[in-house]
Amino acid sequence: MSAGRPLTKAERKKLNRAEHERKIKQDLIAQHGTELGTFYAWLRIVNIRGTQAHRDGDTAFIRDVAIALQNVHGRHFS
């Protein structure tokens, strides 16, 4: 319950998604350590959100992720 009222379906869905993503991150950090686990969690969550964005036809999210990955690659391998 939030603010003395039950959560709406959209609020509940958002809360469940956030809890699921937090659990993914905690599990991967426990398994692989802080740095690598955080990176794997980021990849996993981006994959999940990217799939959802693709289903919804939101190409802007996918383009933003591709640019971010290209920037990281450029900083470390150029």
Side-chain angles (χ1 to χ4, degrees):
M1 303 228 340
S2 176
R5 62 173 177 76
L7 297 175
T8 64
K9 184 177 180 181
E11 291 170 335
R12 199 170 50 250
K13 185 175 181 180
K14 191 174 184 179
L15 179 67
N16 289 342
R17 179 175 291 148
E19 287 176 2
H20 180 67
E21 290 175 358
R22 191 173 341 163
K23 184 178 181 319
I24 288 171
K25 185 175 182 181
Q26 289 172 347
D27 291 346
L28 288 171
I29 287 174
Q31 186 176 3
H32 299 286
T34 304
E35 290 185 13
L36 190 58
T38 302
F39 179 69
Y40 283 162
W42 182 83
L43 284 177
R44 179 101 179 269
I45 291 167
V46 166
N47 185 18
I48 292 168
R49 290 187 183 180
T51 301
Q52 293 166 348
H54 177 69
R55 284 186 197 139
D56 295 339
D58 180 15
T59 57
F61 176 81
I62 297 167
R63 186 176 20 252
D64 291 343
V65 170
I67 290 170
L69 286 172
Q70 184 179 19
N71 289 338
V72 168
H73 181 268
R75 274 188 299 228
H76 294 284
F77 295 103
S78 292

